[in-house]
Amino acid sequence: MTTHAAVTNRRFVLASRPKGAPTAQDFRLESVKVSEPAEGEVLLRTLYLSLDPYMRGRMSDAPSYAPPVELGGVMVGETVAQVVASHHEGYVAGDLVLSDSGWQDYAVSNGTGLTKLGSMAKPSWALGVLGMPGFTAYMGLLDIGQPKAGETVVVAAATGAVGSLVGQIAKIKGCHVVGVAGGADKCRAAIDELGFDACIDRNAADFADQLATACPRGIDVYFESVGGAVFNAVLPLLNLSARVPVCGLIAQYNAEHLPEGGDRTPLLMGAILVKRIKVQGFIIFDYAPRYPEFFKEMSEWLAQGKISFREDFVDGLENAPQAFIGLLEGKNFGKLVIKVADAH
Amino acid sequence: MTTHAAVTNRRFVLASRPKGAPTAQDFRLESVKVSEPAEGEVLLRTLYLSLDPYMRGRMSDAPSYAPPVELGGVMVGETVAQVVASHHEGYVAGDLVLSDSGWQDYAVSNGTGLTKLGSMAKPSWALGVLGMPGFTAYMGLLDIGQPKAGETVVVAAATGAVGSLVGQIAKIKGCHVVGVAGGADKCRAAIDELGFDACIDRNAADFADQLATACPRGIDVYFESVGGAVFNAVLPLLNLSARVPVCGLIAQYNAEHLPEGGDRTPLLMGAILVKRIKVQGFIIFDYAPRYPEFFKEMSEWLAQGKISFREDFVDGLENAPQAFIGLLEGKNFGKLVIKVADAH
């Protein structure tokens, strides 16, 4: 293990809690010596770090479903890592694992929270199409959204990790699928690469009108991950008995104040009442027992070429803060993954 | 039938669409001759007229789940009526029926929408505990709310027709039940007569604090029929995986403008996301196939003395508008029913 003691672990810790949008100053890069794994432990080398919108919530100490990252603590995050040394009987050097080791080059683990990667064409898929984002898309759409053939499904963040899969699964189920994305390039890709029936640029001045035109029979399922202006445009288009799975609200994560103007809550509650709408938040961890079912079906769709999945790789751990800041602004195009190191 | 041709039918028609709270001038009392029932028709005499908050929606031409009452049209409403003359093979004079004949003394029907009253101790119960309000309480609480023993259920309008039953059913299911009502008398009755564990006066200056104190383990099910300030106080108390069946929003029916101040929608959506809350509107008509199941169980509870049901009778059709205006202000105490005539 002496080889590792000489190695430096770079890690990003939370330097300060953001006020509004996070800035580079909210993260601090530290360099420390790599710890030696003790008996029963493994040393992990991060290969891929997943960056996801939920991390914004962990940077805040507002009450949430998970405790916040401590000030000075390593930023949380899922990784695909390789075992580089093992004193744990369950692992040997070279094993690839899914880990929650966070924003750093190396981590020591006693095996808790590690999952050996099964067969998948690309290890990074464990952070995307076959991981949390894919599972979120699958369960949110199918279990809460319950789309029926011929219904209209609208999905926000249409080219993002979750949204791109929601729309493609909805197409497999025979729905009319309309995406919402930021910019003409993303909208074109949603149609050409992902097979959506339409995709509306949320930055267009007449966004609400375009959305209405693209949904001539209204909206039966709105897969919500954005909130804000997109939701306001969706609300009047929701049909009787519409379903709104809520997996994120990226447009409001950085908000410091309530939006100005009157309180629109009565409009939302009134629509829920009059149209018998179901709005339901969910966290994918609650669905853990159903992961195998998801994995099997999604793997089949991938093998059959029914699902395409775009990854947006950024090289170098040092670039994680800027990439994350861009994620919250919608700058990524596909699943954002930091490529930290090559496998050996 | 000549005996009936000499009889006058009084009826309330919609004179104007209310701006804000309805006033007496929005209703017009007309007197017309009673029509003769033709072959295949019956003549009905209204005994009881149900007044319910949903009628405010029908007075408006805003889009809703049901078409509005036409200007000059008879106000809609469920009634218990007696067949006074029948040219319909399914009915004989003297039959009691549940009807949608509206705010009037007499109506001619071809049988559509009529239901012969089965055995119940009081015919007016067909408009209350064994009718639409009871069915609404039962299905909203049990099918959407899904309360488990030991959970905390909060119900708005706790002494109203629906709320009083929601709370009592929740007690039968072993829940900690907290009502919200307007005034000390109603709160006392909710505890003493209905068996709630607590009931908070929504007019109290420290209403939100009192509600929090009465719900030391948070709120698992909030049965919503009110909206507004009550909902704002409930929102921060909702637990993980809370369920919010929405059957009405009486506090906002008369609103002409959005409430002032910032848009609280992000607070609601944020809570839905972080706490995996389900908010679901429903209309009892969607549950029609399950009425027999409800009727059987509620009848048993009534026979066993497990459910008490208070009716607030107002004598005379001419008093319907004032009684309805008072209903929207929360002046009734129990199910509001207009007693129009005695059975013969």
Side-chain angles (χ1 to χ4, degrees), chain A residues 87-321:
Chain A
H87 292 175
H88 187 299
E89 62 180 12
Y91 298 91
V92 297
D95 280 351
L96 291 187
V97 296
L98 184 64
S99 160
D100 53 3
S101 55
W103 295 29
Q104 56 186 342
D105 284 318
Y106 291 92
V108 169
S109 167
N110 63 7
T112 304
L114 297 191
T115 308
K116 275 202 210 183
L117 285 196
S119 68
M120 52 184 81
K122 300 182 181 182
S124 59
W125 280 1
L127 304 174
V129 63
L130 291 173
M132 196 181 63
F135 194 24
T136 298
Y138 183 91
M139 281 297 159
L141 178 66
L142 299 182
D143 190 63
I144 300 177
Q146 306 219 350
K148 298 174 205 49
E151 287 191 330
T152 296
V153 174
V154 170
V155 56
T159 58
V162 175
S164 66
L165 296 170
V166 168
Q168 291 178 86
I169 298 169
K171 283 307 299 178
I172 291 172
K173 298 297 180 182
C175 297
H176 179 72
V177 175
V178 177
V180 174
D185 286 352
K186 288 183 178 176
C187 286
R188 199 160 30 244
I191 296 170
D192 294 346
E193 295 178 21
L194 305 175
F196 287 24
D197 296 290
C199 188
I200 314 299
D201 184 351
R202 62 177 160 79
N203 301 318
D206 61 343
F207 165 67
D209 289 340
Q210 286 194 43
L211 184 65
T213 302
C215 303
R217 296 190 305 275
I219 298 172
D220 301 293
V221 179
Y222 172 57
F223 194 100
E224 173 66 297
S225 60
V226 170
V230 174
F231 186 66
N232 290 346
V234 163
L235 187 59
L237 301 177
L238 290 173
N239 285 336
L240 279 187
S241 303
R243 290 81 69 196
V244 181
V246 182
C247 87
L249 293 164
I250 198 167
Q252 71 183 51
Y253 288 166
N254 289 332
E256 293 280 281
H257 307 284
L258 296 180
E260 294 190 5
D263 181 6
R264 294 172 53 89
T265 309
L267 299 182
L268 171 55
M269 293 298 289
I272 288 172
L273 172 63
V274 168
K275 297 179 179 173
R276 298 96 123 167
I277 294 166
K278 178 174 75 172
V279 180
Q280 185 167 355
F282 70 104
I283 302 291
I284 197 59
F285 310 125
D286 294 340
Y287 284 101
R290 296 182 65 181
Y291 181 81
E293 161 193 344
F294 151 75
F295 183 84
K296 178 171 182 293
E297 187 153 34
M298 185 63 87
S299 296
E300 289 169 2
W301 286 335
L302 283 165
Q304 294 163 357
K306 288 184 178 172
I307 291 276
S308 90
F309 189 68
R310 185 198 276 242
E311 294 171 301
D312 187 341
F313 289 108
V314 171
D315 270 314
L317 180 65
E318 63 279 10
N319 295 314

Side-chain angles (χ1 to χ4, degrees), chain B residues 10 44-50 78-84 94-99 101-102 104-107 117 122-124 127 313-317 337-344:
Chain B
R10 296 174 305 160
L44 302 173
R45 174 76 169 110
T46 306
L47 305 182
Y48 298 103
L49 165 65
S50 181
E78 281 196 302
T79 61
V80 166
Q82 188 165 36
V83 175
V84 290
D95 281 350
L96 291 185
V97 295
L98 183 65
S99 160
S101 55
Q104 56 186 341
D105 284 317
Y106 292 92
L117 285 196
K122 299 180 180 182
S124 59
L127 304 175
F313 289 108
V314 171
D315 270 315
L317 179 67
V337 176
I338 303 292
K339 191 160 184 293
V340 180
D342 288 316
H344 285 287

Side-chain angles (χ1 to χ4, degrees), chain B residues 27-91:
Chain B
F27 307 91
R28 184 171 64 241
L29 183 61
E30 295 179 344
S31 291
V32 294
K33 275 194 186 166
V34 169
S35 305
E36 291 286 332
E39 190 57 35
E41 294 184 336
V42 294
L43 178 64
L44 302 173
R45 174 76 169 110
T46 306
L47 305 182
Y48 298 103
L49 165 65
S50 181
L51 293 184
D52 300 279
Y54 78 83
M55 294 167 175
R56 175 63 183 84
R58 304 292 179 88
M59 298 176 77
S60 159
D61 55 5
S64 184
Y65 52 83
V69 177
E70 302 278 328
L71 285 174
V74 177
M75 280 293 298
V76 296
E78 281 196 302
T79 61
V80 166
Q82 188 165 36
V83 175
V84 290
S86 177
H87 291 175
H88 185 299
E89 63 180 12
Y91 298 91

Side-chain angles (χ1 to χ4, degrees), chain B:
Chain B
M1 302 314 303
T2 47
T3 52
H4 301 108
V7 173
T8 297
N9 179 35
R10 296 174 305 160
R11 64 188 186 191
F12 277 104
V13 300
L14 182 63
S16 53
R17 303 205 182 278
K19 299 196 195 320
T23 67
Q25 285 68 46
D26 293 322
F27 307 91
R28 184 171 64 241
L29 183 61
E30 295 179 344
S31 291
V32 294
K33 275 194 186 166
V34 169
S35 305
E36 291 286 332
E39 190 57 35
E41 294 184 336
V42 294
L43 178 64
L44 302 173
R45 174 76 169 110
T46 306
L47 305 182
Y48 298 103
L49 165 65
S50 181
L51 293 184
D52 300 279
Y54 78 83
M55 294 167 175
R56 175 63 183 84
R58 304 292 179 88
M59 298 176 77
S60 159
D61 55 5
S64 184
Y65 52 83
V69 177
E70 302 278 328
L71 285 174
V74 177
M75 280 293 298
V76 296
E78 281 196 302
T79 61
V80 166
Q82 188 165 36
V83 175
V84 290
S86 177
H87 291 175
H88 185 299
E89 63 180 12
Y91 298 91
V92 297
D95 281 350
L96 291 185
V97 295
L98 183 65
S99 160
D100 54 3
S101 55
W103 296 29
Q104 56 186 341
D105 284 317
Y106 292 92
V108 170
S109 167
N110 64 6
T112 304
L114 298 191
T115 309
K116 275 200 210 184
L117 285 196
S119 67
M120 54 185 81
K122 299 180 180 182
S124 59
W125 280 1
L127 304 175
V129 63
L130 292 173
M132 195 180 64
F135 194 25
T136 298
Y138 182 91
M139 281 296 158
L141 179 66
L142 299 182
D143 190 63
I144 300 177
Q146 306 220 353
K148 299 174 205 45
E151 287 190 331
T152 296
V153 174
V154 170
V155 54
T159 59
V162 175
S164 66
L165 296 170
V166 168
Q168 292 179 86
I169 298 169
K171 284 305 300 177
I172 291 172
K173 299 295 179 185
C175 297
H176 179 72
V177 175
V178 177
V180 174
D185 287 354
K186 288 183 178 177
C187 286
R188 198 156 35 241
I191 296 169
D192 294 346
E193 296 178 21
L194 305 176
F196 287 25
D197 296 289
C199 189
I200 314 300
D201 183 352
R202 64 177 158 79
N203 301 320
D206 61 344
F207 165 67
D209 289 340
Q210 287 193 43
L211 184 66
T213 302
C215 303
R217 295 190 305 276
I219 299 172
D220 301 293
V221 179
Y222 172 57
F223 194 100
E224 173 65 298
S225 61
V226 169
V230 175
F231 186 66
N232 290 346
V234 162
L235 187 59
L237 302 176
L238 290 173
N239 286 334
L240 279 188
S241 303
R243 290 80 68 196
V244 181
V246 182
C247 88
L249 294 164
I250 197 167
Q252 71 183 52
Y253 289 166
N254 289 334
E256 293 280 282
H257 308 285
L258 295 180
E260 294 188 6
D263 181 5
R264 293 173 53 90
T265 308
L267 299 182
L268 171 55
M269 293 299 288
I272 287 173
L273 171 64
V274 168
K275 298 180 180 173
R276 299 95 124 166
I277 294 167
K278 178 175 75 173
V279 180
Q280 185 167 357
F282 70 104
I283 302 292
I284 197 58
F285 310 124
D286 293 339
Y287 285 102
R290 296 182 64 179
Y291 181 82
E293 162 193 343
F294 151 75
F295 183 84
K296 178 172 181 293
E297 187 152 34
M298 184 63 87
S299 296
E300 289 169 3
W301 287 335
L302 284 164
Q304 295 161 359
K306 289 185 178 171
I307 291 276
S308 94
F309 189 69
R310 185 197 277 242
E311 293 171 301
D312 187 342
F313 289 108
V314 171
D315 270 315
L317 179 67
E318 63 278 11
N319 294 315
Q322 280 307 328
F324 178 68
I325 290 166
L327 173 71
L328 295 179
E329 296 167 352
K331 289 190 175 161
N332 60 303
F333 197 157
K335 175 68 187 96
L336 182 59
V337 176
I338 303 292
K339 191 160 184 293
V340 180
D342 288 316
H344 285 287

